[in-house]
mmCIF file of all heavy atoms in Angstrom:
data_model
loop_
_atom_site.group_PDB
_atom_site.id
_atom_site.type_symbol
_atom_site.label_atom_id
_atom_site.label_comp_id
_atom_site.label_asym_id
_atom_site.label_seq_id
_atom_site.Cartn_x
_atom_site.Cartn_y
_atom_site.Cartn_z
ATOM 1 N N LEU O 52 1.429 31.941 2.013
ATOM 2 C CA LEU O 52 0.269 31.105 2.314
ATOM 3 C C LEU O 52 0.424 29.717 1.682
ATOM 4 O O LEU O 52 0.099 28.702 2.302
ATOM 5 C CB LEU O 52 -1.012 31.789 1.823
ATOM 6 C CG LEU O 52 -2.331 31.159 2.222
ATOM 7 C CD1 LEU O 52 -2.435 31.065 3.739
ATOM 8 C CD2 LEU O 52 -3.487 31.959 1.668
ATOM 9 N N HIS O 53 0.967 29.691 0.471
ATOM 10 C CA HIS O 53 1.167 28.414 -0.203
ATOM 11 C C HIS O 53 2.222 27.576 0.520
ATOM 12 O O HIS O 53 2.064 26.358 0.669
ATOM 13 C CB HIS O 53 1.565 28.624 -1.661
ATOM 14 C CG HIS O 53 1.508 27.370 -2.471
ATOM 15 N ND1 HIS O 53 2.410 27.081 -3.449
ATOM 16 C CD2 HIS O 53 0.660 26.317 -2.445
ATOM 17 C CE1 HIS O 53 2.137 25.907 -3.987
ATOM 18 N NE2 HIS O 53 1.075 25.422 -3.396
ATOM 19 N N LEU O 54 3.284 28.213 0.987
ATOM 20 C CA LEU O 54 4.309 27.495 1.738
ATOM 21 C C LEU O 54 3.723 26.952 3.050
ATOM 22 O O LEU O 54 3.987 25.808 3.426
ATOM 23 C CB LEU O 54 5.501 28.408 2.014
ATOM 24 C CG LEU O 54 6.702 27.742 2.676
ATOM 25 C CD1 LEU O 54 7.242 26.624 1.793
ATOM 26 C CD2 LEU O 54 7.778 28.769 2.945
ATOM 27 N N SER O 55 2.914 27.755 3.719
ATOM 28 C CA SER O 55 2.241 27.285 4.940
ATOM 29 C C SER O 55 1.325 26.113 4.631
ATOM 30 O O SER O 55 1.240 25.143 5.401
ATOM 31 C CB SER O 55 1.432 28.413 5.573
ATOM 32 O OG SER O 55 2.255 29.489 5.898
ATOM 33 N N TRP O 56 0.624 26.204 3.522
ATOM 34 C CA TRP O 56 -0.271 25.127 3.092
ATOM 35 C C TRP O 56 0.534 23.844 2.874
ATOM 36 O O TRP O 56 0.137 22.769 3.319
ATOM 37 C CB TRP O 56 -0.990 25.552 1.809
ATOM 38 C CG TRP O 56 -1.903 24.528 1.219
ATOM 39 C CD1 TRP O 56 -1.586 23.545 0.338
ATOM 40 C CD2 TRP O 56 -3.297 24.383 1.473
ATOM 41 N NE1 TRP O 56 -2.678 22.815 0.006
ATOM 42 C CE2 TRP O 56 -3.759 23.306 0.706
ATOM 43 C CE3 TRP O 56 -4.208 25.073 2.268
ATOM 44 C CZ2 TRP O 56 -5.079 22.892 0.699
ATOM 45 C CZ3 TRP O 56 -5.530 24.658 2.263
ATOM 46 C CH2 TRP O 56 -5.944 23.579 1.494
ATOM 47 N N GLN O 57 1.672 23.959 2.198
ATOM 48 C CA GLN O 57 2.514 22.799 1.940
ATOM 49 C C GLN O 57 3.033 22.190 3.238
ATOM 50 O O GLN O 57 3.056 20.966 3.381
ATOM 51 C CB GLN O 57 3.693 23.175 1.040
ATOM 52 C CG GLN O 57 3.306 23.400 -0.396
ATOM 53 C CD GLN O 57 4.501 23.777 -1.246
ATOM 54 O OE1 GLN O 57 5.427 24.434 -0.791
ATOM 55 N NE2 GLN O 57 4.472 23.357 -2.505
ATOM 56 N N VAL O 58 3.439 23.021 4.177
ATOM 57 C CA VAL O 58 3.915 22.519 5.463
ATOM 58 C C VAL O 58 2.782 21.789 6.173
ATOM 59 O O VAL O 58 2.980 20.701 6.732
ATOM 60 C CB VAL O 58 4.482 23.665 6.326
ATOM 61 C CG1 VAL O 58 4.713 23.217 7.759
ATOM 62 C CG2 VAL O 58 5.770 24.191 5.717
ATOM 63 N N GLY O 59 1.584 22.366 6.161
ATOM 64 C CA GLY O 59 0.434 21.718 6.793
ATOM 65 C C GLY O 59 0.109 20.377 6.160
ATOM 66 O O GLY O 59 -0.129 19.381 6.864
ATOM 67 N N VAL O 60 0.113 20.327 4.831
ATOM 68 C CA VAL O 60 -0.161 19.066 4.129
ATOM 69 C C VAL O 60 0.918 18.044 4.457
ATOM 70 O O VAL O 60 0.620 16.866 4.700
ATOM 71 C CB VAL O 60 -0.261 19.306 2.600
ATOM 72 C CG1 VAL O 60 -0.223 18.001 1.831
ATOM 73 C CG2 VAL O 60 -1.522 20.074 2.270
ATOM 74 N N PHE O 61 2.173 18.477 4.507
ATOM 75 C CA PHE O 61 3.256 17.551 4.818
ATOM 76 C C PHE O 61 3.109 16.997 6.229
ATOM 77 O O PHE O 61 3.276 15.795 6.450
ATOM 78 C CB PHE O 61 4.621 18.233 4.657
ATOM 79 C CG PHE O 61 5.762 17.293 4.907
ATOM 80 C CD1 PHE O 61 6.159 16.406 3.924
ATOM 81 C CD2 PHE O 61 6.405 17.266 6.124
ATOM 82 C CE1 PHE O 61 7.192 15.509 4.148
ATOM 83 C CE2 PHE O 61 7.437 16.381 6.363
ATOM 84 C CZ PHE O 61 7.832 15.494 5.374
ATOM 85 N N VAL O 62 2.799 17.852 7.193
ATOM 86 C CA VAL O 62 2.680 17.410 8.584
ATOM 87 C C VAL O 62 1.504 16.440 8.744
ATOM 88 O O VAL O 62 1.640 15.394 9.393
ATOM 89 C CB VAL O 62 2.538 18.633 9.525
ATOM 90 C CG1 VAL O 62 2.137 18.205 10.919
ATOM 91 C CG2 VAL O 62 3.843 19.409 9.559
ATOM 92 N N VAL O 63 0.364 16.755 8.142
ATOM 93 C CA VAL O 63 -0.792 15.860 8.237
ATOM 94 C C VAL O 63 -0.477 14.523 7.557
ATOM 95 O O VAL O 63 -0.746 13.452 8.104
ATOM 96 C CB VAL O 63 -2.045 16.518 7.622
ATOM 97 C CG1 VAL O 63 -3.181 15.523 7.489
ATOM 98 C CG2 VAL O 63 -2.480 17.708 8.469
ATOM 99 N N GLY O 64 0.109 14.571 6.361
ATOM 100 C CA GLY O 64 0.480 13.345 5.661
ATOM 101 C C GLY O 64 1.494 12.527 6.443
ATOM 102 O O GLY O 64 1.403 11.301 6.512
ATOM 103 N N LEU O 65 2.453 13.212 7.065
ATOM 104 C CA LEU O 65 3.461 12.518 7.865
ATOM 105 C C LEU O 65 2.808 11.828 9.061
ATOM 106 O O LEU O 65 3.138 10.687 9.384
ATOM 107 C CB LEU O 65 4.537 13.495 8.335
ATOM 108 C CG LEU O 65 5.678 12.902 9.147
ATOM 109 C CD1 LEU O 65 6.475 11.925 8.286
ATOM 110 C CD2 LEU O 65 6.575 14.008 9.674
ATOM 111 N N GLY O 66 1.865 12.500 9.693
ATOM 112 C CA GLY O 66 1.161 11.883 10.817
ATOM 113 C C GLY O 66 0.414 10.632 10.409
ATOM 114 O O GLY O 66 0.436 9.607 11.109
ATOM 115 N N VAL O 67 -0.231 10.680 9.249
ATOM 116 C CA VAL O 67 -0.982 9.513 8.767
ATOM 117 C C VAL O 67 -0.021 8.381 8.402
ATOM 118 O O VAL O 67 -0.264 7.213 8.734
ATOM 119 C CB VAL O 67 -1.883 9.911 7.574
ATOM 120 C CG1 VAL O 67 -2.532 8.700 6.945
ATOM 121 C CG2 VAL O 67 -2.942 10.905 8.025
ATOM 122 N N VAL O 68 1.091 8.708 7.740
ATOM 123 C CA VAL O 68 2.067 7.672 7.370
ATOM 124 C C VAL O 68 2.677 7.044 8.620
ATOM 125 O O VAL O 68 2.829 5.810 8.702
ATOM 126 C CB VAL O 68 3.155 8.251 6.436
ATOM 127 C CG1 VAL O 68 4.321 7.294 6.284
ATOM 128 C CG2 VAL O 68 2.554 8.570 5.078
ATOM 129 N N VAL O 69 3.014 7.850 9.614
ATOM 130 C CA VAL O 69 3.582 7.315 10.851
ATOM 131 C C VAL O 69 2.563 6.406 11.546
ATOM 132 O O VAL O 69 2.914 5.326 12.048
ATOM 133 C CB VAL O 69 4.050 8.459 11.784
ATOM 134 C CG1 VAL O 69 4.327 7.962 13.185
ATOM 135 C CG2 VAL O 69 5.284 9.131 11.203
ATOM 136 N N ALA O 70 1.295 6.818 11.560
ATOM 137 C CA ALA O 70 0.254 5.957 12.143
ATOM 138 C C ALA O 70 0.170 4.633 11.388
ATOM 139 O O ALA O 70 0.008 3.569 11.993
ATOM 140 C CB ALA O 70 -1.095 6.670 12.118
ATOM 141 N N GLY O 71 0.307 4.667 10.064
ATOM 142 C CA GLY O 71 0.291 3.436 9.275
ATOM 143 C C GLY O 71 1.470 2.547 9.568
ATOM 144 O O GLY O 71 1.340 1.326 9.663
ATOM 145 N N VAL O 72 2.649 3.153 9.741
ATOM 146 C CA VAL O 72 3.840 2.365 10.070
ATOM 147 C C VAL O 72 3.679 1.720 11.444
ATOM 148 O O VAL O 72 4.061 0.563 11.649
ATOM 149 C CB VAL O 72 5.112 3.248 9.999
ATOM 150 C CG1 VAL O 72 6.310 2.537 10.586
ATOM 151 C CG2 VAL O 72 5.380 3.658 8.563
ATOM 152 N N ILE O 73 3.082 2.440 12.380
ATOM 153 C CA ILE O 73 2.821 1.873 13.705
ATOM 154 C C ILE O 73 1.837 0.710 13.604
ATOM 155 O O ILE O 73 1.949 -0.281 14.326
ATOM 156 C CB ILE O 73 2.309 2.970 14.664
ATOM 157 C CG1 ILE O 73 3.436 3.952 14.977
ATOM 158 C CG2 ILE O 73 1.742 2.379 15.947
ATOM 159 C CD1 ILE O 73 2.998 5.193 15.724
ATOM 160 N N MET O 74 0.880 0.813 12.686
ATOM 161 C CA MET O 74 -0.116 -0.246 12.530
ATOM 162 C C MET O 74 0.421 -1.491 11.832
ATOM 163 O O MET O 74 -0.249 -2.521 11.836
ATOM 164 C CB MET O 74 -1.322 0.266 11.741
ATOM 165 C CG MET O 74 -2.225 1.171 12.502
ATOM 166 S SD MET O 74 -3.633 1.580 11.482
ATOM 167 C CE MET O 74 -4.076 3.144 12.156
ATOM 168 N N LEU O 75 1.601 -1.408 11.224
ATOM 169 C CA LEU O 75 2.118 -2.598 10.545
ATOM 170 C C LEU O 75 2.291 -3.766 11.508
ATOM 171 O O LEU O 75 1.785 -4.855 11.239
ATOM 172 C CB LEU O 75 3.420 -2.275 9.807
ATOM 173 C CG LEU O 75 3.254 -1.436 8.541
ATOM 174 C CD1 LEU O 75 4.610 -1.080 7.962
ATOM 175 C CD2 LEU O 75 2.410 -2.152 7.515
ATOM 176 N N PRO O 76 2.991 -3.603 12.653
ATOM 177 C CA PRO O 76 3.091 -4.743 13.575
ATOM 178 C C PRO O 76 1.881 -4.867 14.504
ATOM 179 O O PRO O 76 1.658 -5.917 15.092
ATOM 180 C CB PRO O 76 4.354 -4.443 14.376
ATOM 181 C CG PRO O 76 4.453 -2.960 14.378
ATOM 182 C CD PRO O 76 3.900 -2.519 13.045
ATOM 183 N N LEU O 77 1.127 -3.799 14.652
ATOM 184 C CA LEU O 77 -0.041 -3.809 15.538
ATOM 185 C C LEU O 77 -1.307 -4.050 14.726
ATOM 186 O O LEU O 77 -1.294 -3.943 13.499
ATOM 187 C CB LEU O 77 -0.140 -2.473 16.278
ATOM 188 C CG LEU O 77 1.051 -2.114 17.174
ATOM 189 C CD1 LEU O 77 0.870 -0.723 17.742
ATOM 190 C CD2 LEU O 77 1.197 -3.135 18.280
ATOM 191 N N PRO O 78 -2.417 -4.342 15.392
ATOM 192 C CA PRO O 78 -3.669 -4.524 14.652
ATOM 193 C C PRO O 78 -4.089 -3.223 13.960
ATOM 194 O O PRO O 78 -4.023 -2.152 14.547
ATOM 195 C CB PRO O 78 -4.680 -4.899 15.733
ATOM 196 C CG PRO O 78 -3.872 -5.365 16.888
ATOM 197 C CD PRO O 78 -2.563 -4.645 16.807
ATOM 198 N N GLY O 79 -4.493 -3.356 12.745
ATOM 199 C CA GLY O 79 -4.944 -2.193 11.986
ATOM 200 C C GLY O 79 -4.528 -2.306 10.532
ATOM 201 O O GLY O 79 -3.650 -3.078 10.181
ATOM 202 N N PRO O 80 -5.152 -1.520 9.683
ATOM 203 C CA PRO O 80 -4.855 -1.560 8.237
ATOM 204 C C PRO O 80 -3.628 -0.714 7.894
ATOM 205 O O PRO O 80 -3.739 0.357 7.299
ATOM 206 C CB PRO O 80 -6.124 -0.990 7.619
ATOM 207 C CG PRO O 80 -6.626 -0.025 8.655
ATOM 208 C CD PRO O 80 -6.268 -0.636 9.984
ATOM 209 N N GLY O 81 -2.448 -1.176 8.286
ATOM 210 C CA GLY O 81 -1.221 -0.397 8.150
ATOM 211 C C GLY O 81 -0.940 0.098 6.748
ATOM 212 O O GLY O 81 -0.733 1.293 6.528
ATOM 213 N N TRP O 82 -0.901 -0.802 5.772
ATOM 214 C CA TRP O 82 -0.560 -0.393 4.400
ATOM 215 C C TRP O 82 -1.613 0.536 3.828
ATOM 216 O O TRP O 82 -1.276 1.486 3.108
ATOM 217 C CB TRP O 82 -0.375 -1.614 3.497
ATOM 218 C CG TRP O 82 0.925 -2.305 3.767
ATOM 219 C CD1 TRP O 82 1.114 -3.517 4.360
ATOM 220 C CD2 TRP O 82 2.234 -1.790 3.498
ATOM 221 N NE1 TRP O 82 2.449 -3.789 4.470
ATOM 222 C CE2 TRP O 82 3.158 -2.754 3.945
ATOM 223 C CE3 TRP O 82 2.709 -0.625 2.934
ATOM 224 C CZ2 TRP O 82 4.533 -2.571 3.829
ATOM 225 C CZ3 TRP O 82 4.081 -0.449 2.822
ATOM 226 C CH2 TRP O 82 4.969 -1.418 3.259
ATOM 227 N N LEU O 83 -2.866 0.294 4.141
ATOM 228 C CA LEU O 83 -3.934 1.161 3.645
ATOM 229 C C LEU O 83 -3.764 2.580 4.186
ATOM 230 O O LEU O 83 -3.913 3.562 3.457
ATOM 231 C CB LEU O 83 -5.291 0.585 4.053
ATOM 232 C CG LEU O 83 -6.518 1.302 3.520
ATOM 233 C CD1 LEU O 83 -6.564 1.204 2.007
ATOM 234 C CD2 LEU O 83 -7.769 0.702 4.132
ATOM 235 N N VAL O 84 -3.413 2.692 5.457
ATOM 236 C CA VAL O 84 -3.212 4.009 6.070
ATOM 237 C C VAL O 84 -1.968 4.681 5.487
ATOM 238 O O VAL O 84 -1.968 5.897 5.242
ATOM 239 C CB VAL O 84 -3.131 3.872 7.607
ATOM 240 C CG1 VAL O 84 -2.771 5.192 8.263
ATOM 241 C CG2 VAL O 84 -4.447 3.353 8.159
ATOM 242 N N ILE O 85 -0.912 3.914 5.247
ATOM 243 C CA ILE O 85 0.297 4.486 4.637
ATOM 244 C C ILE O 85 -0.027 5.046 3.252
ATOM 245 O O ILE O 85 0.370 6.169 2.907
ATOM 246 C CB ILE O 85 1.421 3.434 4.559
ATOM 247 C CG1 ILE O 85 1.955 3.133 5.960
ATOM 248 C CG2 ILE O 85 2.551 3.906 3.645
ATOM 249 C CD1 ILE O 85 2.922 1.977 6.023
#
Side-chain angles (χ1 to χ4, degrees):
L52 188 57
H53 192 217
L54 186 60
S55 301
W56 178 272
Q57 286 180 327
V58 168
V60 167
F61 183 79
V62 169
V63 170
L65 182 64
V67 173
V68 168
V69 166
V72 169
I73 291 171
M74 286 184 207
L75 287 175
L77 299 175
W82 285 110
L83 185 64
V84 174
I85 289 172

